[in-house]
Amino acid sequence: RFASFIVMLLGTIVIGRWVADQLKTSIIHESAAATALYLDSFIVSNLQELGHSKSLTPEHIEMLNKLLTETNLGRHVVTVKVWDSDGLILYSNRPSLIGLSFPGASDLKSVLKGEMVAGISDLQDEENFEERLSYTRLLEIYIPVRLIGTRQIIAVAEFYQEVDVLEAEIAAAQRQGWLVVVTAMAAIYLLLIRFAQ
C-alpha cells in the first residue's frame, strides 16, 4: 500500500504541474489574442505606409500617440514598439526608444513568419531598459502587422501590459486545476485500495 501511495502521489504531482502549466499557457494566449485583436483594429491602419516606406509620417505618429494617450486603449498598454525586420524600432509611445536597434530581440523571427507570440516577461532583455525602471514583470505580446488585403508582413507590433489581474486569474485557475487533480487521484487511490482488499 505504501508503494502504491508513493506512485499515486508522484503521479498527482506530475499531472498537477502539467495541468497548471497548460492553464497558465491557455490563459496567457487567450488574453493576448483578445488584446491583439483589439489593438490590431486601432493600430494597423496607421502603419500601412511601412509597406512602401522605412518610416512613419509625422501625421501617423501623432495619430498613434493620440490613440495611446487619449483613449481607453492607452490605459491598458504600458509600452508599444513597432519593429522592422532588422530589429529597428520605428515607433514607440516611449520616444527615447525610436531609432534604436536590437537585432537580437527575442521572438521577432517567429513573428516575422506570421506567428503571434505572448508570454509573461521578466524584462531582462536589452530592449527592456525603459520598462525595468517601473516594472519587474509584464505581459509581452508580439503580433505581425500585415499590409491590408495581403499576407505580406510589413512590421511587428509589440505591446506590454500589466500582469496583476492576469496573474490573479492564472492563480485562481491553477488552484481549481490542482483541486480537481488531487480529488480525482485520491478517489482513484481509494478505489484501488478497496478493490485490493
Side-chain angles (χ1 to χ4, degrees):
R1 285 189 183 181
F2 180 72
S4 61
F5 173 77
I6 294 298
V7 170
M8 291 297 289
L9 180 63
L10 290 174
T12 301
I13 292 169
V14 170
I15 294 170
R17 284 184 176 171
W18 181 81
V19 168
D21 286 344
Q22 293 299 307
L23 286 168
K24 179 179 180 180
T25 300
S26 176
I27 290 169
I28 287 172
H29 279 88
E30 272 185 37
S31 176
T35 300
L37 188 63
Y38 181 58
L39 293 170
D40 194 59
S41 65
F42 282 93
I43 287 185
V44 167
S45 61
N46 289 295
L47 299 176
Q48 289 302 296
E49 66 197 293
L50 294 177
H52 56 79
S53 173
K54 287 289 187 181
S55 61
L56 294 170
T57 62
E59 291 78 16
H60 281 128
I61 289 174
E62 184 180 353
M63 184 69 70
L64 288 167
N65 287 338
K66 282 185 177 179
L67 282 170
L68 294 165
T69 57
E70 298 177 8
T71 66
N72 284 334
L73 172 68
R75 296 189 194 123
H76 299 287
V77 176
V78 172
T79 306
V80 174
K81 298 171 189 171
V82 176
W83 302 79
D84 72 4
S85 58
D86 297 319
L88 178 70
I89 298 176
L90 304 174
Y91 170 79
S92 177
N93 60 333
R94 296 175 182 262
S96 61
L97 296 174
I98 297 174
L100 297 183
S101 181
F102 301 93
S106 60
D107 299 315
L108 274 183
K109 287 183 180 178
S110 296
V111 185
L112 287 166
K113 292 176 184 175
E115 301 173 26
M116 182 189 79
V117 177
I120 294 177
S121 171
D122 59 6
L123 307 176
Q124 294 306 303
D125 289 346
E126 185 183 1
E127 53 148 315
N128 296 131
F129 67 91
E130 281 270 7
E131 291 82 13
R132 281 196 299 270
L133 297 175
S134 306
Y135 300 92
T136 55
R137 289 157 62 80
L138 290 169
L139 175 62
E140 180 180 49
I141 306 165
Y142 288 86
I143 60 170
V145 176
R146 289 185 166 87
L147 193 64
I148 290 174
T150 75
R151 302 293 296 168
Q152 181 187 350
I153 295 171
I154 57 175
V156 171
E158 180 186 16
F159 307 96
Y160 290 88
Q161 286 183 292
E162 293 185 16
V163 292
D164 297 350
V165 173
L166 183 65
E167 287 187 324
E169 185 181 342
I170 290 169
Q174 288 179 330
R175 282 194 298 272
Q176 290 178 340
W178 272 105
L179 181 61
V180 170
V181 170
V182 170
T183 302
M185 295 299 275
I188 292 168
Y189 177 71
L190 293 172
L191 285 171
L192 288 174
I193 292 298
R194 185 172 179 182
F195 286 128
Q197 288 177 345

